[in-house]
Amino acid sequence: MGGLSTKLLPMVLLATLGALVLILNEVAQVPGVGRPDRPNEPDLIAQNATAYRFDVNGKRLSRVYADRLRHYPAGDTNWLDQPRIHYTKPDTPEVTVVGKRARTEQNGTLVWFPDDAKLTRAPSADKPQLDVVSSDVWVKPNENFVWSKTPVNGKMGAYTVSGVGFNADMDKETLELLSKVSTTYVPPPPRR
């Protein structure tokens, strides 16, 4: 009798150990992240969100700050509250776009500011700072291109401009007003 229990004891212990491993494996499973039942509700919400994008050499191309970020699985879009987006493409002046809210689409390659937004291009070696205020502003960060078809006001050095619609090519440092253009130049006071 002692010989049979000696032979069965390791098998019973091995079977018990296998059963415990299976039970622990089931208990330790992290619930799967599948498609939410409500695709029009956010599946991710982040407060005080910050994101960076880098080029293949590790140089920072942009940084995005938002008081709140919400990701929606329907259309794979993000809504940003109080966004501040800084584009820092090498060898070009930094471009900042600030607004009340923004939506990113197409994996961040297209950004829409539906409300008033302010675009600022930092001064360069030969050009003063450029400030542009408009609404319904679209940004293509990879192409460094910004546009709108709504009324716009801008200021660059001694020049103040207004119009309806604009195209801004940040690589070429150009601002094209599309219609109803008005420009005011206030020369600086004479040097004494």
Side-chain angles (χ1 to χ4, degrees), residues 129-146:
Q129 176 173 308
L130 169 66
D131 293 308
V132 176
V133 177
S134 190
S135 60
D136 194 25
V137 174
W138 291 86
V139 180
K140 282 194 169 183
N142 294 346
E143 298 172 26
N144 235 4
F145 195 79
V146 184

Side-chain angles (χ1 to χ4, degrees), residues 28-44:
Q29 290 291 324
V30 175
V33 179
R35 286 275 192 213
D37 294 336
R38 300 177 185 135
N40 293 321
E41 291 185 10
D43 62 351
L44 171 72

Side-chain angles (χ1 to χ4, degrees), residues 152-164 175-177 179-186:
V152 57
N153 291 301
K155 180 164 179 41
M156 185 172 86
Y159 291 92
T160 303
V161 297
S162 64
V164 176
L175 174 67
E176 173 189 15
L177 298 177
S179 67
K180 299 184 181 177
V181 177
S182 171
T183 303
T184 304
Y185 174 74
V186 178

Side-chain angles (χ1 to χ4, degrees), residues 34-188:
R35 286 275 192 213
D37 294 336
R38 300 177 185 135
N40 293 321
E41 291 185 10
D43 62 351
L44 171 72
I45 299 174
Q47 298 292 96
N48 300 317
T50 304
Y52 297 93
R53 196 182 77 192
F54 299 90
D55 69 8
V56 295
N57 298 317
K59 289 190 177 188
R60 187 170 63 198
L61 296 175
S62 66
R63 65 185 185 276
V64 177
Y65 303 104
D67 289 352
R68 184 170 69 153
L69 175 142
R70 295 175 316 281
H71 177 266
Y72 293 86
D76 191 25
T77 59
N78 293 299
W79 275 98
L80 308 169
D81 295 339
Q82 302 301 119
R84 295 162 307 282
I85 304 175
H86 303 268
Y87 299 103
T88 53
K89 191 172 179 179
D91 303 322
T92 62
E94 180 176 273
V95 175
T96 304
V97 186
V98 177
K100 181 178 177 184
R101 60 190 177 128
R103 180 180 72 204
T104 66
E105 302 174 358
Q106 301 171 5
N107 202 21
T109 60
L110 185 62
V111 183
W112 174 52
F113 289 81
D115 308 307
D116 284 349
K118 181 179 182 181
L119 175 141
T120 301
R121 186 200 65 217
S124 63
D126 59 341
K127 293 183 180 159
Q129 176 173 308
L130 169 66
D131 293 308
V132 176
V133 177
S134 190
S135 60
D136 194 25
V137 174
W138 291 86
V139 180
K140 282 194 169 183
N142 294 346
E143 298 172 26
N144 235 4
F145 195 79
V146 184
W147 75 94
S148 176
K149 296 190 187 303
T150 64
V152 57
N153 291 301
K155 180 164 179 41
M156 185 172 86
Y159 291 92
T160 303
V161 297
S162 64
V164 176
F166 74 92
N167 292 325
D169 186 326
M170 295 300 131
D171 288 338
K172 295 178 182 174
E173 297 185 29
T174 60
L175 174 67
E176 173 189 15
L177 298 177
L178 302 178
S179 67
K180 299 184 181 177
V181 177
S182 171
T183 303
T184 304
Y185 174 74
V186 178

